[in-house]
Amino acid sequence: MTEKPNTGLPKSALSRLRAQQGGGAPAGEHPDANLLAAFSEQALEAGEREQVLMHLGRCADCREIVALNLPAVEEKSFVEEKRGWLGLRPELMRWGIVGASAAVVVAAVLLVKPELESPRAIQNQVTIAKPTDRADQAVGEASGVAREAPKLTAGVADRATEKEAKKADEKRRDAASERGYPMAAPPPPPSALGVSGGSSGGVLGGVMSPKVEEGTGRAAGAAAANESKDMRTTPAVVAQSQPQANAPVPVFAEEDRMQASQAKTLAKQKVDEDRKMMAADSNTVAARATKSEVSGRRFQLAAATRTWRIAGGKLQWSGDGGASWTIASLPDGVKAMAVDAGVPGVVWVGAASGMVLRSADQGASWTPVKGLWRGDVVYLKFQDAVQGTLRTSNHEEWFSEDGGMVWKRR
Amino acid sequence: MSLSKNMVPEDLAQELFASSRAQEFGLSLAGFTRALERASKGAVSEAAIRALRLEELALAQGCAAGNEHAWDVFLVRYREKLYDAARQVTREESSARELADSLYADLFGTRTQEGRRVSKLESYSGRGSLDGWLRTVLAQEWVNRFRKTKRLVSLEEQEEAGAQFAAAAPEVNAVMDPAVSAATDQALAELTAEDRYILAAYYLDERTLAQVARSLGVHESTVSRKVERLGKKLRKDILERLLRAGRSRRQAEEAMEVDVRDLAVDVRNQLKKQARGQGLPAPD
């Protein structure tokens, strides 16, 4: 038996803890719903709370009830407890300011450098297409992804020189036109697409689920993963483990990560600048004007950030801290069941039939994410820019450690 | 001010009756006072009574009494939330609908007792929010269903998930070293109720740190630190007790890392080997 380092609970303690379960209370003496609900809401007095905790320490069923009773995190975040300015919690306010500052910086740079932003690039934003057999359009979509990339990356203040940007642009265009959506493996040749049609080689707005092509050195697709004994990784992971001449270049994820980290830095700089301005002599007219300007800007920055929720089976957003809500436009047939917007600038939506959508532009456009999970996606949460958890109605739990690029099953 | 057992002063009851919209929901002062007394259960302070969710209590009692306006308000506020909560609990649309509908029936009161319709909403005490109470009742119903019925998992699902088909439970009862067991029990007995709950939820139920933290109303980092601290504390306590009992350090450390389930598997494997050696069929 391999020696493991002594971390965590000693096994003997784990065994005894397990053995002592079920001794919390005689049958019929479990805390009632009032007590358990009040416990979950921290509404019990100290003595009662202690008694409930003593029971919970030994009763797995009651612990399960408490766990099931916890409201969904996205509800708690966006169905506001009115605590701070504009009804936002302090953590959300911070992220809101950071995200909004980043958005303003990006917009300002775009205005300053119009030559990098062409109307065509704006028109060619990736949008969801209906799942029809569109081999030629898939290539066009992939090109659209590549064309969008310069707008995203060039908008960052400290972007490399224009020449480097053009080189990177060409590289991305080539890569994107070859393999489309980065989450799935590279698509099969057009002839294979024509044959596969509506089977596992179906196309979904730039998302390809190619058929298995063993021994070709190409990435295995969803069918391959289904045939594989190892069900714990998505096709993208299998692809990356096989060295290829044309290794997949993650079109949006890498750029988004760079953008997110650069935007964070810029936003922090902006916030620091604001603080310095606010620290100016408060008696001077200039300082008062500055404060007013900063307050106004902050108000505008905060207002630029949207909060999201699912209500009545519809995805909704609010730009005014929850005072009013607008139903978001999603592709036809998508029934939203979970939403997460904890990462600034990125919105994730889990929907029925395993559909997952991602937006990097506050819901103006959506990119579908196709994975191996089954059932409805009923929970989707990113703890930070890279770590995310997804759960389905089939009790599957998947996690990502790279911002949603690769998902592994727990 | 402490109240006498089950008695809410009339002036307090009147004041709270006015502020809780009880009259709007069809309750009389007497009915509302009875609800307050049931909710308070034993002598409690005036502050505790005032901390109750009075408007929600009045709404629940109004619904239990069959008041139409109360039901209108209840449905507008809680109908969607109930279905959302059921979906969160069951993680499946059809089961969620069935669970929510079944709860609605209980809330409405399809049972009668002594000629009177009995609604589950009567038991809501106002200690926590009505929303939280409804979610808890849903969760209780769901957990009870699982307790009563076996969960059927298809063989195909198990194989696809990479799990081997479950073997029968071992017939041999592997027993931990009594000294280790006693030392561990003593160390566990010294934990606070909250510490024990954290360990059980985190290690036995495999909840995430975030989930445990949310159930306790603390930050995730607080739970993370506690888990780490408790692991170290238990390790140290058990080790000290075993050393005092005469074990060497090495023996004590080895004994702490023995899992009873591993012992059971080892014994079963030994029995299989012995049976094969004797040409007998191996035990399950």
Side-chain angles (χ1 to χ4, degrees), chain A residues 134-148:
Chain A
R134 307 177 298 123
D136 52 339
Q137 288 186 32
V139 174
E141 291 288 350
S143 303
V145 172
R147 273 196 283 278
E148 186 190 21

Side-chain angles (χ1 to χ4, degrees), chain B residues 91-143:
Chain B
R91 300 185 179 182
E92 196 181 31
E93 191 65 34
S94 57
S95 301
R97 200 139 277 272
E98 191 200 329
L99 184 68
D101 289 342
S102 148
L103 179 61
Y104 262 122
D106 287 341
L107 295 177
F108 187 71
T110 51
R111 291 186 300 118
T112 54
Q113 196 173 9
E114 296 168 358
R116 193 175 67 89
R117 196 174 62 194
V118 176
S119 163
K120 213 173 185 93
L121 280 165
E122 271 186 42
S123 61
Y124 170 66
S125 71
R127 300 290 300 277
S129 68
L130 184 52
D131 185 28
W133 181 84
L134 288 168
R135 280 201 307 272
T136 305
V137 172
L138 266 176
Q140 277 181 327
E141 178 61 28
W142 183 244
V143 169

